[in-house]
Amino acid sequence: MSQFRQLSAIVFTDIEGYTAIMRQDEEKAILIRNRHREILEREHKQFNGRIIQYYGDGALTVFQSVVDAVQCALAMQQTFCQPPRVPVRMGVHVGDIIHHDEDIVGDGVNVASRIESLGVAGSVLISDKVNDEISNHREFKTYSVGIYQFKNVDRKIEVFALDHE
């Protein structure tokens, strides 16, 4: 079992309302899920991301660059919003993670997941750490959506949303 630590940008995606969509129309749900994965794979190749795991209607991915992670999230979200629309929410955080075989664990993974869960379809939410890293990139516009105390996280985290069409 190989194991190593790395500072990474972590991205969680989740299809909002997937269970309800599946219950109402299985064919539509499968189409949406497949489109989610196709877009994810294409954009991660373009922005040097690595897909760690698919879990049902979501995914966990990592990047060596925070800027690449945010650019990828924005590109994916802009594509998801085009027909046929995929209602995805995303959370991005940067932190130290432990690579363990083909999986990753660590506080950074948990925080990215908590941030994603705050979102709505079409949103990209980022942590204060990510916002600091992209603040000198004028192509990214953000606004604060509040300061949160997440379950089992020692510090309060300000969460920002990307402000793009």
Side-chain angles (χ1 to χ4, degrees), residues 3-164:
Q3 182 173 305
F4 65 95
R5 290 184 171 275
Q6 183 177 25
L7 187 63
S8 298
I10 305 130
V11 178
F12 261 95
T13 68
D14 182 68
I15 300 172
E16 185 179 71
Y18 184 78
T19 302
I21 296 167
M22 178 61 85
R23 190 171 43 244
Q24 295 167 359
D25 186 343
E26 283 184 353
E27 190 174 307
K28 179 180 179 182
I30 291 167
L31 174 76
I32 287 172
R33 184 173 169 236
N34 289 343
R35 181 162 159 75
H36 172 257
R37 290 182 179 196
E38 288 167 12
I39 292 167
L40 205 78
E41 289 170 13
R42 183 181 67 233
E43 297 300 337
H44 276 69
K45 281 181 188 170
Q46 181 176 343
F47 292 100
N48 305 307
R50 181 172 164 228
I51 299 168
I52 299 296
Q53 178 181 358
Y54 287 110
Y55 56 95
D57 62 327
L60 166 61
T61 66
V62 294
F63 295 79
Q64 292 183 353
S65 161
V66 174
V67 172
D68 284 350
V70 174
Q71 286 176 325
C72 184
L74 184 57
M76 286 191 301
Q77 203 58 281
Q78 289 171 334
T79 305
F80 288 140
C81 289
Q82 297 171 5
R85 189 175 175 278
V86 182
V88 174
R89 58 185 180 217
M90 296 184 203
V92 185
H93 182 58
V94 62
D96 192 55
I97 58 174
I98 301 166
H99 288 265
H100 184 75
D101 293 328
E102 293 299 314
D103 198 12
I104 62 172
V105 295
D107 190 50
V109 176
N110 299 331
V111 171
S113 173
R114 302 265 192 254
I115 290 170
E116 173 270 312
S117 69
L118 292 174
V120 296
S123 67
V124 177
L125 300 182
I126 63 174
S127 69
D128 46 11
K129 286 183 173 183
V130 171
N131 195 63
D132 287 347
E133 291 296 321
I134 66 169
S135 64
N136 63 339
H137 291 265
R138 296 174 62 200
E139 69 269 26
F140 300 125
K141 297 175 233 126
T142 64
Y143 63 91
S144 177
V145 296
I147 298 173
Y148 295 87
Q149 180 66 61
F150 294 113
K151 179 181 174 186
N152 297 324
V153 176
D154 291 342
R155 71 177 184 90
K156 291 182 179 180
I157 297 174
E158 187 169 11
V159 177
F160 294 81
L162 291 184
D163 188 11
H164 293 267

